[in-house]
Amino acid sequence: QVQLVESGGGLVQAGGSLRLSCTASGIAFSRFFMGWYRQGPGKQRESVAVIGSGGIADYVDSVKGRFTISRDNAKNTVYLQMDSLKPEDTAVYYCNARLLTVNAWGQGTQVTVSS
């Protein structure tokens, strides 16, 4: 069974920082593409950041220069370091693991940024 568990969300002021974590079980973690998605109020879910097995990362334009995705294969964990947070970053953030036919999602963690 594939399981992804997110943590690290919370309430912060604009300009603050948070680090999200997602720990995976039931997969050969080092082989998977990992990503963070988010869904804000009244919005569709969007891809925020992805990272491949070799560590190559990509980001949506709105977070470039502010967010950093990384992975620790020894801990089966992917992180999203979020700096210079803005109110428009407020959303539920979801962890994703993808490889071939596997497309797994975590339960989500709430990030709220106050103005």
Side-chain angles (χ1 to χ4, degrees), residues 32-109:
F32 274 67
F33 295 91
M34 301 298 298
W36 289 96
Y37 290 67
R38 67 186 181 187
Q39 187 167 20
K43 300 178 181 179
Q44 287 200 337
R45 187 176 297 189
E46 67 171 349
S47 176
V48 178
V50 295
I51 185 167
S53 61
I56 298 174
D58 199 12
Y59 304 87
V60 67
D61 286 345
S62 61
V63 309
K64 287 181 178 176
R66 300 188 298 119
F67 290 11
T68 303
I69 188 171
S70 62
R71 64 194 296 163
D72 186 341
N73 289 339
K75 295 183 177 180
N76 284 7
T77 300
V78 62
Y79 305 94
L80 186 67
Q81 178 67 43
M82 304 185 294
D83 299 320
S84 301
L85 282 161
K86 303 175 180 180
E88 50 262 47
D89 296 318
T90 295
V92 178
Y93 284 71
Y94 298 90
C95 181
N96 173 255
R98 181 186 295 272
L99 184 66
L100 299 176
T101 62
V102 178
N103 187 21
W105 296 90
Q107 297 269 336
T109 185

